[in-house]
Amino acid sequence: MISQYHFKFEELHVYQKAIEFGELVHSQIAAFPKIEDYRLSAQFARAANSISFNIAEGSGSSDASFLNYPRISRDSSREGLTATTKALVRNYITLEQCEKNRGLLVEINKMLAALMKHLNNKNSP
């Protein structure tokens, strides 16, 4: 999305990847059975969206305070991995979709680790 109005955090590649993952999950859960609407589908969507939400929310804080938000995003990404695994085991997604999710989550986790390292280094004397 290109807008003349934007926030600095939207330039972060990890934020952009997190948005991509959230949209991928959104398209996947659309095909889940109705019984999962308030179960796995809802939990999967919350976890996937939480990654980008926390990056955005924390970006307005001081660097020291912001550091906590990528940690929460990382926790949410692990929750997304578990939801991906459950979706595969229940045959709601294909192995190919599972691998795509896992690949994005590994990439996001590496980016979050780099962001946390950067923030730690900025706050070290």
Side-chain angles (χ1 to χ4, degrees):
M1 179 179 93
I2 299 174
S3 173
Q4 65 180 7
Y5 307 103
H6 72 281
F7 290 83
K8 190 81 172 146
F9 69 85
E10 292 177 290
E11 297 172 12
L12 294 171
H13 292 313
V14 66
Y15 171 80
Q16 295 166 10
K17 282 288 177 189
I19 289 290
E20 180 183 341
F21 179 69
E23 294 309 301
L24 181 62
V25 167
H26 178 76
S27 67
Q28 290 172 357
I29 63 176
F32 284 17
K34 186 90 172 128
I35 193 171
E36 295 292 1
D37 280 356
Y38 299 104
R39 297 176 182 174
L40 184 59
S41 295
Q43 190 70 22
F44 202 177
R46 278 193 301 276
N49 289 323
S50 178
I51 301 168
S52 59
F53 288 168
N54 276 289
I55 294 166
E57 184 177 353
S59 70
S61 306
S62 67
D63 287 342
S65 180
F66 182 24
L67 187 56
N68 190 47
Y69 289 89
R71 288 183 182 130
I72 296 168
S73 291
R74 185 182 56 197
D75 293 343
S76 294
S77 73
R78 291 181 175 141
E79 190 177 354
L81 177 65
T82 301
T84 292
T85 302
K86 287 195 163 283
L88 177 66
V89 168
R90 294 178 187 178
N91 294 313
Y92 300 158
I93 62 173
T94 65
L95 181 58
E96 184 180 324
Q97 290 171 308
C98 178
E99 287 297 296
K100 181 158 178 114
N101 289 1
R102 286 175 165 273
L104 273 171
L105 288 168
V106 165
E107 190 175 1
I108 288 167
N109 268 274
K110 287 178 182 178
M111 292 172 143
L112 288 169
L115 177 59
M116 288 185 287
K117 183 176 180 180
H118 171 75
L119 293 170
N120 269 326
N121 289 341
K122 283 179 73 174
N123 292 315
S124 295

